[in-house]
Structures are given as structure tokens and as C-alpha cells.
Amino acid sequence: MSFAGTRAGVRAWPIGLALAVALFLCTAVLGRLDVRTDMADFLPSGETEAARFMLQELRTGVATSLLLVGIEGAPVQELARLSRDFASDLERSGRFVFVSNGQEDLAGADGAFLFAHRYLLSPATNDEAFSIPALRADFKTIFHGLTSSASPLVQRFGLTDPTGAFPALLREWAGSAQPRVEGGVWFARDRDRALLLLQTRAQGMDINGQEDAEGAIEAAFRKAQPGTARLLIAGPGAFARAAADAMRSDIQVLSIVSIILVVTLLVWRFRSPLVIAAIATPVVISTALAAVIVQAAYGFVHGAALGFGMTVLGVSVDYPVLLIGHRKQGEAVAGTLRRIGKAFALAVTTAVLGLSGMMFAGFPGLAQLGLFSAGGLAVAALATRFVLAPLIVAADLAPVSAGDPARLLRIERLRQWRMAGLVPLAASVVFLVASGGPHWEQDLENLSPTPAAMRTLDNELRREIGAPDAGQVGVVEGNSPEAVLSREEAVLPMIDRLQARGAIAGAEIAARYLPSEATQLARRAVLPPPDVLSARVAEAQSGLPFRPEAFGPFIEAVAEARAMPPLGVSDIKSPVMAARLQALLFPRQGAWYGLIALSGVRDPASVEAAFTGAGIIYLDMRQEANRMVRSALRRAWLWLAAGGCAALGALFLGLRNTGRVARVVGSVLSAAILTLAVLTSFGVRLSLVHIVALQFVAGVGLDYALFFARPQLDQEERARTLRTLVTCNAMALLTFGLLAFCRTPILQAIGMTVVIGAAASMGFAFVFAGERQHPACARFS
């Protein structure tokens, strides 16, 4: 196929101007869109209380905004310096709620606060602790400590806290993992690795916010002059950024390569670079206006819907190619449309109707994707018809004969063995039935591009720093913090039993750190009056080598505690202490919630049974997310089927020929079935991504089938159709074939599905939908 371009060179400027205007429009629109990257906005709405709570946690939960940081690869003293300088710079950046590296640990202001309130907060405060025998035993322990290497510590705390309320309280706050302290900062206990815990102001699923935060982290680390030291970052936000970086890197490289390949193909086929501008114009316009439609409907455009939508919108590239490829040189628009207008309109209508089902699936991400894709295809078709058509006539863009059509059309003889095309279809059906049908991916984590090494690092840092994995939690609800804390205290014995049985390794619960007001008042009530305590202390220290006034600070501290009001959530002012509590106790929509963050869950069934029996929601975030998406996808398939039925109705109305409708629908369904069979044979488990890719396959399949199914009276027109559709198919294969080589699972899935589906669509459309050559055709050649 060569290209008639004598007039094109003279009248090229209208197409160039149209493309320039389209690019300006697209740039202006995309620059003003409210594009959101919070993946929680893409997920379906929860149908259960647990699902709704999980979604809210993904959006605003403190746990998702925590980053775990390690520094290693240098001597301990250098790592400690780096940690201090690094943390100081991060605090000044303003991007973090808190930065904790142990400098402000419980030995500083936080420790002083806890020490002052130890008798209200400590589990060691009870009647027995203030009895004479218990006091005498404590005094003897202190005496032995004063003569040991621990004498400075005993002098500091022992005489003012002989009952050990403060050490017991520190053990509660320290949790199961206790980093060692070197140079005033945290280190892992089993290796020379400095540790930091950060909370970003951006939510964990806000990819742009997390990228800004990690950019600040990397800049602060470079500023600290690390030398040979290495920076390690993990946490939900780091995972989100790694996924986005991997996808962006793949898309950038492959977009450049695919553009080069497609442009080369089109220039080779049409012999004019002007065709590239003509084809790009409606595609650019449709992208801009589709985004505007979604923005108007939802108030924002989700980044994932925009990215996937542009994938599906790739069908629109065929529209200008179909128009230009079928135009005869010197032909008016009306003449071209008389030959292809019906097939073109049906291809657009059925594709739009097929995509419209996604808008009603109850899945916000799919709804935006459906609206973007359906609206974009409609706009692309209108732009091709009313904007591009006059321009290509003015430039006289049209293919000219490239040899004898009869030689090319010898391939049509294959349609004489049309029934042989049923063999791969039948084999696909048999294989799918025998293998139990297409298999669905049940675990969303398997679609994550986050490397396994990064997930391993996250587990290591959580263990070393003592941060719980909030993936498995119990949820306690109440109308006030006091109500939640009281309910949590009631289940503490159950949690201890689960831990003793080995069902869990540990649990983070707010009631261990901040007892309910009732418990604090009960502890305050057991504190003896000063005169009573003085008498007990005197008797307990009788015969021991202490001065009479040695325990005066202890008596004064107890007297002060007797006058203290109980502490509430608002009384915890320390950023580190408040951050730990905020992750476990927080208000939401008029109610208060407490999280019981479990670690090392070895027997989920018994844990769930115990929590349910106690009236507590047990939530496995990973399982709940998978369950929620599976439910939404089932609804999505139903609505997609409804969209398909609407498209089928449009075919009947448009073609008014049952046999032709059967051939068109049969070719599209055959391609889909073969695609599913091939994917299943490769061990691929289907997901939302494959639904998106199959929508693209159905769109191009309809294009091929409807154009092959047209009643064509001469060889030249049939050859023109075959060349044009082969060009469209080659563009799809070149563009999406490259995606199969991506490192990102999502892009790999799209690429593999589209390549298989587009090739199958072309084959089945040619064999099933195309008209058998009629003997009378020779008279019209």
C-alpha cells in the first residue's frame, strides 16, 4: 500500500493545526484535572462492617503511613551520628508527623512523664505491693542493688520507686521487641543497623505524597554525608512508591519503543508522516474529553482509571486508520461513509455499549474506567467523523493500489474451510471445562510489583523496631475512649491465653499503655495515705541499713499520685507516645475504635473464634481485601454481560441479518474463549486487569468482524479492507506485545492478554465473519 501525497504536502497545515490544537487542549485539561492516586479510592465500597472499616483504615489509618527505616554499612559510632543528623533534618522538613530514632525514647521527657504517673498506669500497682512484707522484700532487693554494678540506676529509681511500678510500666511500653540503644539511638539487637520509625503526613495509599516523603528521606540521608552507609526503607508507603516507580519505568521505556515501532509501521504502510498527525488528532481529543467527562461525573479522576482507560482507549486508534485506509483517492467523505459508515457506526456503538456495563458494577474504579473508556471511544469516533474526515479529504490522504488485489485475496480461499476454525474453538472449550474453567487470582498481593526482598526487609525492620504488622487485627468499638479501653481490658486475659497457647506471638493494645479511667481510679484507691505508708515503710525497713528518711521521696510520690486525676487520650502530649496510641485508639464518624494489632498469628481460626466469642471483630486485612474485590468482580462480570447483551441488540438492529450477526458475535466470542484457554494453559490466574484487557480485545474484535462482514462487491474493496485491518492488528500487536516483557505484573497481564486476543480476533474475524468469495465477484473486479 503506497500513499498519494502530492496534494497532502500542499494542504498539510490544516491537519498539523488540528493536532496542535488537540495537544494544547489535552495538555490544558490534564494540567487542571484533580488526579488522585490513593488506591483506596479505586477499591469497591465495603458490604460488611469489617470491609468498610478496612477501607477506612487504608485511607486514613495511621499504620499505613508508617515508614520503617534502617541505616547500615558503617561503624556503630558513625551510624549513630548519621541517625541523629538524619532524624534532625527530617523533623525540619515538615513532611512527617513524627520522626523517632530513640533519642526521645522513654529515658527522656517521655520517661519523666511516665515516671510521674507510674502508679496510675502501671500494672504493678495493687494492694499487695504496698503491704509490709512486700515493701520489706523490695527494700532488701534495693540494698543488694546498691552494692552491685547497677548502683547508679538503683540510686536513681529504686529509692523513689521501690515497688517497681516504673519498670513494669516500661515493659508494657517497650513491647515484644526492644531495640538496643547505642550513642543515644536505636539499633537492632542482632546486627549493626540503626533504626528509625517515621509517620508521614501523607496517607500510605497517597502515592504522590509518599513519593514526596521518600524524596525528603533520600535528600536528608545524602545531606548527612553517609559515606559507605546504606539507607533501607520499608512500609506500606514504600511499597506503593516501589509499585508506582516500577510501572512508570516500564511505561516510559516501552512507550518510546512502541511509538517508534507504530510510527515506522504507519509511515511504511501509508508512505507519509502526515498520516501520523491525522491518526493522533482524534486520539488526543478523545483522551482529553474523556478525562473531562469523568471529572465532571465524579469530581476527580483516579490515576489507575486514567492509565487503564487509555489502554482500552487504544481501540480508538483504529478509527482514523479505518477511515483513511478505506478512502479512495479524490473521494468525498460521503462516498467513503456510504461504504463503511454502517460498519463504523456499529463498531463504535457496540464497543461503547459493551463498556458501559462497568459503570454500574458498584466498583468505583471500574465505574470511572467504564465511563472514561466508553466516553472516550464515542468522542474519538465523533472526532474522526466530523473533525478528521474533512481534513483528510482536504489533504487527499488515501492509499493507492499496491499491486494486483487478486494475488492478495488468494488468502480468502481459507474461508472455504470455515468449519475447520471450529477446531481450535472446540479444543479451547474442552480444555477450559477439563481444567475447571479460568482460574481467578485469589490473592491481590501476587499482583504487586513489590519485590520479595522488599517484603522481607519490611518483616525484618518490624521485628527489630517492635512495630506490629496491622494486617491482622481485632477491632473494638465504643462511644468513647473510656468505653473502648474498658472493653479492651476485659479481653486482656483472653489475649494472654492465646499467647500462652502459641496462637499468637504478641499483641499491641491501647489498654496496656493507657488503662481506662476506672482502672486508674482503682489503682489510685489502693495507694495508702501518707501517714499509713510512712508507718509501713518504717516497719519494713526496720533492721535494714537505710537512713530513716531514705524512702521519703517514695512517700511523697505516692501522696502526689493520690491527688492526680486519671489520664485521658488528650493528656498524652509526647509525639512518640501519642503516635503509638493514635495507631491503636482513634475516633471515626462519631464513634471510637480500638485496634488489637496481632503479631505472629499461627492459628487464625482459634483467634477469630476467640475474638468473635468476645464480641470483637477479627479482621484479616489481606483476606478481607481479597474477599471484597472478588465480590465486586462478580458484580462486574454480571454488568459486563449486561453491556454485552446491549451490544448484541445493537448488532441485530444494525445488521438486520441473523447469519451475519451470528458470524460477528461468534468470531468475537471465539477469540475471547481461545484467549482464556491460552492464558489458563500458561497457568495465569485472572484478575481485574484481565477484564480490562478483554474489553480491549472485544473492541478490536468487533472492529475486525464488522468490517470483514460488510457485503463487498469488488476485489479492490476487499483488498483495501484486508490491508487496513492487518495494519490495525499489527499496531495492536506491536504496542501491547512489548508489555509482555515488563517487570510489572499488571502490565505483563495486559500485554499477554491483548496480544493473544488481538491475534485470535483477527484470525476468527477473517475466517468466520468475512464473506465467502462469490463467483459473481469477478464481474465487478
Side-chain angles (χ1 to χ4, degrees):
M1 182 182 292
S2 59
F3 196 86
T6 54
R7 295 176 62 197
V10 177
R11 302 185 180 181
W13 69 266
I15 291 179
L17 178 61
L19 178 59
V21 171
L23 289 172
F24 175 79
L25 173 66
C26 190
T27 302
V29 167
L30 295 180
R32 287 167 173 76
L33 286 180
D34 179 11
V35 179
R36 298 185 186 177
T37 56
D38 188 334
M39 289 306 296
D41 289 331
F42 193 77
L43 296 174
S45 55
E47 297 179 351
T48 65
E49 183 180 359
R52 288 189 290 271
F53 183 87
M54 185 207 70
L55 284 173
Q56 193 62 36
E57 274 299 287
L58 288 176
R59 291 187 177 96
T60 60
V62 174
T64 64
S65 59
L66 291 179
L67 290 178
L68 311 166
V69 177
I71 307 174
E72 62 183 17
V76 170
Q77 295 82 357
E78 176 63 9
L79 291 175
R81 179 198 68 80
L82 283 172
S83 177
R84 291 190 296 269
D85 294 349
F86 178 55
S88 177
D89 201 55
L90 289 179
E91 287 176 341
R92 291 192 297 268
S93 72
R95 288 187 170 87
F96 302 91
V97 176
F98 75 85
V99 177
S100 180
N101 68 344
Q103 291 184 93
E104 68 298 284
D105 199 12
L106 298 178
D110 294 339
F113 178 85
L114 289 179
F115 189 72
H117 295 85
R118 62 192 180 280
Y119 293 115
L120 299 185
L121 302 178
S122 176
T125 303
N126 52 58
D127 279 318
E128 176 61 25
F130 294 93
S131 67
I132 294 173
L135 289 172
R136 186 169 181 82
D138 291 336
F139 294 167
K140 288 181 178 180
T141 301
I142 291 170
F143 174 72
H144 292 304
L146 288 171
T147 60
S148 71
S149 59
S151 177
L153 192 61
V154 174
Q155 288 179 6
R156 181 180 176 185
F157 294 111
L159 298 177
T160 54
D161 182 32
T163 63
F166 186 54
L169 180 56
L170 288 183
R171 284 191 293 272
E172 293 289 316
W173 276 85
S176 57
Q178 301 180 32
R180 80 179 197 267
V181 176
E182 297 280 353
V185 300
W186 287 333
F187 274 82
R189 286 197 167 275
D190 56 355
R191 70 182 78 195
D192 290 340
R193 176 188 287 170
L195 303 171
L196 297 93
L197 181 65
L198 320 176
Q199 182 187 346
T200 61
R201 296 193 182 280
Q203 299 301 324
M205 301 295 281
D206 180 356
I207 296 175
N208 289 339
Q210 289 298 323
E211 287 182 342
D212 289 342
E214 289 197 45
I217 291 173
E218 292 166 355
F221 186 66
R222 290 192 298 269
K223 184 178 178 181
Q225 300 179 345
T228 61
R230 298 183 299 276
L231 178 67
L232 309 172
I233 308 175
F239 290 170
R241 184 195 181 192
D245 285 349
M247 188 175 295
R248 187 182 298 113
S249 175
D250 282 339
I251 289 175
Q252 286 175 346
V253 173
L254 295 179
S255 294
I256 294 172
V257 176
S258 66
I259 287 173
I260 293 173
L261 291 175
V262 170
V263 167
T264 301
L265 170 68
L266 292 174
V267 170
W268 175 71
R269 281 296 185 188
F270 291 108
R271 301 294 193 266
S272 170
L274 190 58
V275 174
I276 308 303
I279 291 172
T281 299
V283 176
V284 173
I285 293 173
S286 66
T287 300
L289 294 187
V292 170
I293 293 170
V294 174
Q295 174 86 35
Y298 294 94
F300 71 96
V301 180
H302 197 284
L306 184 63
F308 287 149
M310 292 179 70
T311 298
V312 179
L313 212 54
V315 178
S316 66
V317 177
D318 289 353
Y319 297 163
V321 174
L322 290 169
L323 180 62
I324 298 173
H326 282 91
R327 181 177 177 269
K328 298 177 181 179
Q329 189 174 2
E331 185 178 42
V333 173
T336 307
L337 292 179
R338 272 195 299 270
R339 289 181 290 110
I340 71 167
K342 186 176 180 179
F344 185 86
L346 271 178
V348 175
T349 302
T350 52
V352 169
L353 288 175
L355 290 166
S356 64
M358 286 193 288
M359 292 187 282
F360 308 101
F363 196 138
L366 276 183
Q368 282 206 15
L369 174 57
L371 182 59
F372 184 95
S373 304
L377 288 184
V379 170
L382 292 172
T384 299
R385 168 63 183 85
F386 295 104
V387 176
L388 183 62
L391 296 177
I392 64 174
V393 170
D396 199 18
L397 297 181
V400 295
S401 177
D404 183 9
R407 295 182 60 186
L408 175 65
L409 294 178
R410 289 173 185 172
I411 194 173
E412 288 184 337
R413 297 173 184 173
L414 293 176
R415 291 175 182 154
Q416 303 301 322
W417 291 276
R418 179 173 287 168
M419 297 305 294
L422 296 176
V423 174
L425 175 60
S428 299
V429 172
V430 171
F431 173 76
L432 288 174
V433 172
S435 62
H439 303 296
W440 289 95
E441 178 55 69
Q442 302 295 319
D443 192 346
L444 293 178
E445 187 174 298
N446 291 334
L447 295 176
S448 170
T450 306
M454 191 171 187
R455 293 196 291 269
T456 300
L457 174 64
D458 182 81
N459 292 331
E460 283 182 4
L461 292 175
R462 285 185 185 278
R463 174 180 55 80
E464 293 168 350
I465 209 168
D469 182 358
Q472 292 169 307
V473 298
V475 183
V476 179
E477 183 179 359
N479 56 14
S480 66
E482 177 70 7
V484 172
L485 292 171
S486 296
R487 289 192 64 193
E488 288 186 346
E489 288 173 341
V491 300
L492 282 174
M494 177 194 74
I495 293 174
D496 291 338
R497 288 193 299 271
L498 289 171
Q499 190 169 355
R501 294 206 313 264
I504 60 175
E508 292 269 344
I509 182 169
R512 291 197 192 275
Y513 306 130
L514 181 63
S516 67
E517 291 185 9
T519 297
Q520 292 182 58
L521 291 173
R523 289 173 180 171
R524 191 179 70 179
V526 305
L527 299 176
D531 55 340
V532 175
L533 184 58
S534 296
R536 292 179 184 178
V537 167
E539 184 173 348
Q541 74 178 54
S542 177
L544 295 176
F546 290 106
R547 295 191 302 271
E549 69 278 7
F551 293 102
F554 167 52
I555 297 170
E556 292 175 3
V558 172
E560 291 174 1
R562 282 172 54 83
M564 286 181 179
L567 291 175
V569 176
S570 61
D571 297 314
I572 307 299
K573 302 299 184 183
S574 159
V576 177
M577 295 169 63
R580 180 170 289 188
L581 277 176
Q582 287 170 4
L584 300 172
L585 181 65
F586 45 83
R588 184 171 295 160
Q589 297 178 347
W592 279 81
Y593 292 89
L595 288 188
I596 304 174
L598 305 174
S599 59
V601 178
R602 303 182 185 94
D603 187 357
S606 64
V607 174
E608 183 173 8
F611 276 37
T612 303
I616 296 173
I617 297 173
Y618 175 73
L619 180 58
D620 186 318
M621 295 281 200
R622 181 171 168 180
Q623 289 186 5
E624 190 62 37
N626 291 334
R627 185 183 303 116
M628 183 175 59
V629 172
R630 284 197 300 270
S631 175
L633 287 179
R634 283 194 292 269
R635 294 196 307 273
W637 276 116
L638 292 175
W639 279 104
L640 287 173
C645 291
L648 182 61
L651 283 175
F652 273 107
L653 290 175
L655 295 178
R656 300 183 184 276
N657 183 308
T658 304
R660 192 171 294 155
V661 170
R663 295 201 309 272
V664 170
V665 173
S667 67
V668 174
L669 289 179
S670 298
I673 292 170
L674 179 63
T675 302
L676 292 175
V678 173
L679 291 174
T680 302
S681 70
F682 288 161
V684 175
R685 305 182 73 86
L686 303 184
S687 66
L688 166 64
V689 177
H690 296 92
I691 292 180
V692 175
L694 286 171
Q695 286 289 310
F696 177 91
V697 170
V700 296
L702 281 168
D703 288 350
Y704 303 158
L706 285 167
F707 273 82
F708 274 132
R710 289 182 307 136
Q712 299 158 337
L713 299 180
D714 59 65
Q715 289 184 339
E716 183 180 341
E717 180 68 5
R718 295 203 310 278
R720 190 180 291 116
T721 295
L722 181 58
R723 292 190 182 103
T724 302
L725 293 182
V726 167
T727 300
C728 292
N729 188 248
M731 287 193 302
L733 295 179
L734 286 175
T735 301
F736 290 93
L738 293 172
L739 294 181
F741 299 98
C742 291
R743 56 177 176 166
T744 308
I746 290 175
L747 298 180
Q748 283 182 349
I750 292 175
M752 183 180 295
T753 304
V754 171
V755 166
I756 298 170
S761 294
M762 186 66 182
F764 281 116
F766 176 78
V767 174
F768 287 165
E771 295 278 354
R772 285 193 176 99
Q773 186 174 356
H774 194 278
C777 287
R779 298 199 308 268
F780 297 95
S781 300

